[in-house]
């Protein structure tokens, strides 16, 4: 049976756990030292593949919210359990400082153990201990009972039991309210750092030529009436993001290195300065996630500053029997694909002229021409040459996304614009990896007849999207269908399929007007 005291203690303990998590956030912000991160990471590692795939296909980005909510609930629950035990101890010893000290110590040990940061763990321990210290005070200690006019002389201050219960209730609500205030303070005090905005990012090393390339690639953008449609270059803050974890690893350029391991003629470690001293290029490279819907938004293009992998790879003399390599990132991500594919890759330390943002792999990521987004490992730390093929993170979860991208032509909402003269402008992007886009065909009658769209000028870059535009005179509502033809003359696959396991196929269809 749960009595009133236990219910009150559970409420106080939840408040203490919440205050602990808020305190941690106040101290660390949304960084790897935040106490929720290790639990989030554990959820990432332990969630079975079919569930991950189901979430991606059915709840999409909301899956991230569910995932982070679970991590928060688990961590608050953990510290609430500690605080609950602390409150019991206070009651048993009739000393709130004893329970508070025990709560503080146990929370500190737990937080330090989880995050490996003993100093920052105080951010959890102190607020939790304070909540237990106040919440666990005996009923008569906090409220000096005001002289009761009705009781006459007021000489003997006998603690009236209903008054004591009221006092405890008021104090409990006070702790809950103070916790709420503390959470708000922590959130406002910190705010989610806009890690991917480019205003705080420094220029990338050796990025002088990037500005010129950005201008060139941007200048290829089609003139469209639509406002809000991306041009040829996605700004850093708008470039899509796919991560297995909710927390970006924090790796400084000074700390970073890339090691070639496994079946090599000799292991080699490359430091950041050594990398950026190598021959530099500024390449426009488009990325697309295998998990996105046919007309999804996980398709973007940037100008990346970096250096080709091939000479580095040749210098370690790969010898594995499978001609394959496992790439690993600092977040625990890994993906395996052929060495020949890797050899065409690019090690990037700059994005649109800026240093690589935290969310896109700071300080170094790999870019693999023409292959699905998942091959482009961020926060790259190791390239292991293998003897036998092994599954990567997503392949273990049922995806087959290490191959070449499928061809797609997009028609997003903002690409549909009614012009002043009543005609309708259709505009979007098309991508076929290294095969390139040769043509985009548009139908406004549900696929009975087709017209070639105007295309943006081709660029010298090997793996970049093109923009398309078509203007037509509507006659009531129109069934618009778009499809691309790649540089090898192959038309985009007509047969619709889900994203899992090899990427969505079909033609984008929209009713317009
Ligand atoms: N280390 C690491 N690299 C990663 C991922 C990741 O979660 N961790 N996600 C991959 C996936 S699935 C995609 S689609 C691209 C997305 O890159 P972006 O977030 O820079 O757009 O990164 C790939 N590289
Ligand atoms: Mo992806």
């Amino acid at each position: 049976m749960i009595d009133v005291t236990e219910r009150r203690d559970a409420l106080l303990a939840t408040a203490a756990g919440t205050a602990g998590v808020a305190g941690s956030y106040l101290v660390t912000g949304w960084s790897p030292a935040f106490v929720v991160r290790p639990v989030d990471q554990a959820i990432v590692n332990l969630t079975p593949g079919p569930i991950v795939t189901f979430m991606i296909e059915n709840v999409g980005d909301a899956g991230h919210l569910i995932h982070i909510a679970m991590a928060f609930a688990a961590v608050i629950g953990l510290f609430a359990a500690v605080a609950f035990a602390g409150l019991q101890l206070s009651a048993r010893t009739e000393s709130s400082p004893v329970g508070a000290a025990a709560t503080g110590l146990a929370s500190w040990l737990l937080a330090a153990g989880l995050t490996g940061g003993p100093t920052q763990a105080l951010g959890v321990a102190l607020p939790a201990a304070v909540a237990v210290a106040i919440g666990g005070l005996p009923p008569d200690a906090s409220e000096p009972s005001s002289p009761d006019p009705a009781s006459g002389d007021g000489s003997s201050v006998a603690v009236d039991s209903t008054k004591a219960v009221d006092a405890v209730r008021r104090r409990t609500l006070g702790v809950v309210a103070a916790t709420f205030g503390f959470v708000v303070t922590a959130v406002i005090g910190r705010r989610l750092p806009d890690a991917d905005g480019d205003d705080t990012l420094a220029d990338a090393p050796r990025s002088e030529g990037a500005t010129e390339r950005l201008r060139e690639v941007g200048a290829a953008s089609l003139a469209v009436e639509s406002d809000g449609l991306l041009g040829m270059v996605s700004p850093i803050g708008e470039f899509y993001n796919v991560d297995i974890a909710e927390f970006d690893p924090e790796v400084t350029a000074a700390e970073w290195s890339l090691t070639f391991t496994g079946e090599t003629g000799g292991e080699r470690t490359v430091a950041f300065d050594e990398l950026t001293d190598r021959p530099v290029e500024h390449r426009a490279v488009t990325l697309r996630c295998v998990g996105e819907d046919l007309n999804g938004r996980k398709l973007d293009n940037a100008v990346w500053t970096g250096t080709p992998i091939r000479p580095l790879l040749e210098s370690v003399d790969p010898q594995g029997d499978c001609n394959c390599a496992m790439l690993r990132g600092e977040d625990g991500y890994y993906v395996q694909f052929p060495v020949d594919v890797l050899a065409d890759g690019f090690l990037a330390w700059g994005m649109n002229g800026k240093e690589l943002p935290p969310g896109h792999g700071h300080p170094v990521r790999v870019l693999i021409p023409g292959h699905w987004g998942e091959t482009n490992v961020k926060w790259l730390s190791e390239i292991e040459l293998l003897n036998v093929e092994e599954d990567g993170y997503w392949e273990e979860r049922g995806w087959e996304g290490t191959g070449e991208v499928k061809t797609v032509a997009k028609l997003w909402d903002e690409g549909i614009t009614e012009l002043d003269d009543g005609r309708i402008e259709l505009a979007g992007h098309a991508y076929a990896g290294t095969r390139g886009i040769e043509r985009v065909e548009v139908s406004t009658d549900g696929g009975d007849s087709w017209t070639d769209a105007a295309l943006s000028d081709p660029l010298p870059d090997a793996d970049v999207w093109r923009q398309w535009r078509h203007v037509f005179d509507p006659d009531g509502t129109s069934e618009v269908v778009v499809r691309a033809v790649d540089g090898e003359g192959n038309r985009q696959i007509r047969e619709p399929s889900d994203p899992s396991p090899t990427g969505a196929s079909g033609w984008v269809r929209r009713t317009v007007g």
Side-chain angles (χ1 to χ4, degrees):
M1 216 191 87
I2 299 176
D3 65 14
V4 177
T5 318
E6 271 176 25
R7 219 178 308 143
R8 191 205 65 198
D9 281 357
L11 185 61
L12 281 170
T14 307
T18 306
V21 170
S24 175
Y25 182 68
L26 191 60
V27 172
T28 66
W30 198 264
S31 81
F34 183 35
V35 70
V36 175
R37 194 206 70 120
V39 174
D40 177 78
Q41 189 71 47
I43 294 175
V44 170
N45 296 339
L46 298 177
T47 308
I51 295 185
V52 176
T53 302
F54 174 87
M55 297 286 268
I56 289 172
E57 293 197 325
N58 294 284
V59 294
D61 291 334
H64 276 285
L65 285 178
I66 295 173
H67 164 179
I68 195 71
M70 278 169 59
F72 267 92
V75 176
I76 289 173
L78 198 63
F79 289 100
V82 171
F84 190 79
L87 286 164
Q88 305 303 99
L89 190 63
S90 296
R92 200 159 312 145
T93 59
E94 291 179 17
S95 163
S96 125
V98 171
T103 302
L105 185 65
S107 305
W108 177 74
L109 284 173
L110 196 58
L114 278 171
T115 60
T119 315
Q120 285 160 323
L122 291 172
V124 181
L126 292 177
V130 169
V132 169
I134 299 173
L137 286 173
D140 53 341
S142 68
E143 303 278 314
S145 48
S146 48
D148 187 342
S151 74
D153 61 10
S155 56
S156 75
V157 191
V159 178
D160 171 17
S161 77
T162 43
K163 224 190 256 170
V165 168
D166 276 354
V168 167
R169 186 175 303 149
R170 233 175 298 135
R171 200 167 52 225
T172 303
L173 292 179
V175 169
V176 170
T179 300
F180 185 74
F182 186 55
V183 170
V184 172
T185 309
V187 171
I188 292 176
R190 274 283 174 182
R191 249 181 277 129
L192 282 184
D194 181 18
D196 286 354
D198 58 1
D199 38 352
T200 54
L201 295 169
D203 289 344
R206 307 194 56 203
S207 60
E208 307 80 43
T211 321
E212 183 55 37
R213 288 276 12 240
L214 268 171
R215 203 176 302 130
E216 182 190 350
V217 178
S221 305
L222 272 183
V224 291
E225 297 301 322
S226 144
D227 37 70
L229 186 68
L230 282 178
M232 285 294 287
V233 181
S234 309
I236 284 178
E238 287 173 47
F239 200 103
Y240 85 89
N241 213 253
V242 176
D243 298 321
I244 58 168
E246 304 295 330
F247 295 85
D248 300 328
E250 282 180 356
V251 191
T252 64
E255 286 160 356
W256 180 87
S257 69
L258 167 64
T259 307
F260 291 86
T261 64
E263 306 300 319
T264 65
E267 288 202 358
R268 175 170 183 186
T269 298
V270 185
F272 187 75
D273 288 346
E274 207 181 328
L275 189 75
T276 54
D277 275 346
R278 301 185 63 82
V280 64
E281 288 178 25
H282 312 284
R283 293 189 185 176
V285 178
T286 302
L287 296 190
R288 182 182 179 203
C289 183
V290 70
E292 73 151 6
D293 292 335
L294 179 63
N295 200 28
R297 296 287 183 143
K298 295 189 169 82
L299 171 71
D300 275 299
N301 181 56
V303 172
W304 309 84
T305 297
T307 191
I309 292 182
R310 189 182 300 278
L312 271 176
L313 194 59
E314 284 173 354
S315 78
V316 302
D317 185 19
Q319 299 175 345
D321 291 338
C322 66
N323 179 43
C324 59
M326 180 72 84
L327 279 63
R328 296 180 212 277
E330 293 282 355
D331 57 342
Y333 181 77
Y334 47 97
V335 60
Q336 186 261 152
F337 52 86
V339 170
D340 298 342
V341 172
L342 178 64
D344 289 332
F346 191 63
L347 292 168
W349 61 80
M351 181 179 189
N352 292 350
K354 300 293 180 180
E355 60 180 340
L356 217 53
H360 295 290
H362 188 273
V364 178
R365 79 177 303 167
V366 70
L367 295 167
I368 302 297
H371 289 246
W372 291 108
E374 65 161 86
T375 57
N376 300 271
V377 178
K378 305 189 274 190
W379 313 288
L380 180 69
S381 58
E382 185 188 345
I383 296 180
E384 183 188 4
L385 287 310
L386 303 177
N387 263 333
V388 199
E389 284 191 38
E390 287 170 34
D391 277 343
Y393 178 92
W394 287 117
E395 282 42 58
E396 280 180 347
R397 286 156 180 80
W399 292 85
E400 296 164 26
T402 60
E404 286 189 38
V405 292
K406 289 180 178 168
T407 300
V408 72
K410 302 276 187 180
L411 178 52
W412 292 328
D413 290 348
E414 65 274 24
I416 305 170
T417 313
E418 192 178 337
L419 307 180
D420 293 341
D421 59 10
R423 291 183 308 158
I424 289 180
E425 174 188 79
L426 303 170
H429 298 77
Y431 178 55
T434 50
R435 299 181 300 278
I437 290 292
E438 179 180 288
R439 204 160 68 238
V440 171
E441 299 166 332
V442 182
S443 170
T444 55
D445 54 13
D448 291 341
S449 63
W450 296 87
T451 315
D452 287 355
L455 290 181
S456 58
D457 290 339
L459 287 164
D461 306 83
D463 179 25
V464 68
W465 64 11
R466 281 177 91 169
Q467 271 186 285
W468 62 268
R469 177 179 187 261
H470 176 70
V471 175
F472 76 106
D473 240 325
D475 181 16
T477 58
S478 315
E479 269 300 304
V480 173
V481 193
V482 292
R483 63 188 192 194
V485 176
D486 73 19
E488 296 168 0
N490 307 306
R491 186 166 285 137
Q492 183 174 333
I493 301 169
R494 178 178 194 166
E495 187 64 36
S497 80
D498 284 341
S500 174
T502 60
S505 63
W507 295 341
V508 171
R509 253 171 203 280
R510 311 222 30 188
T511 306
V512 171

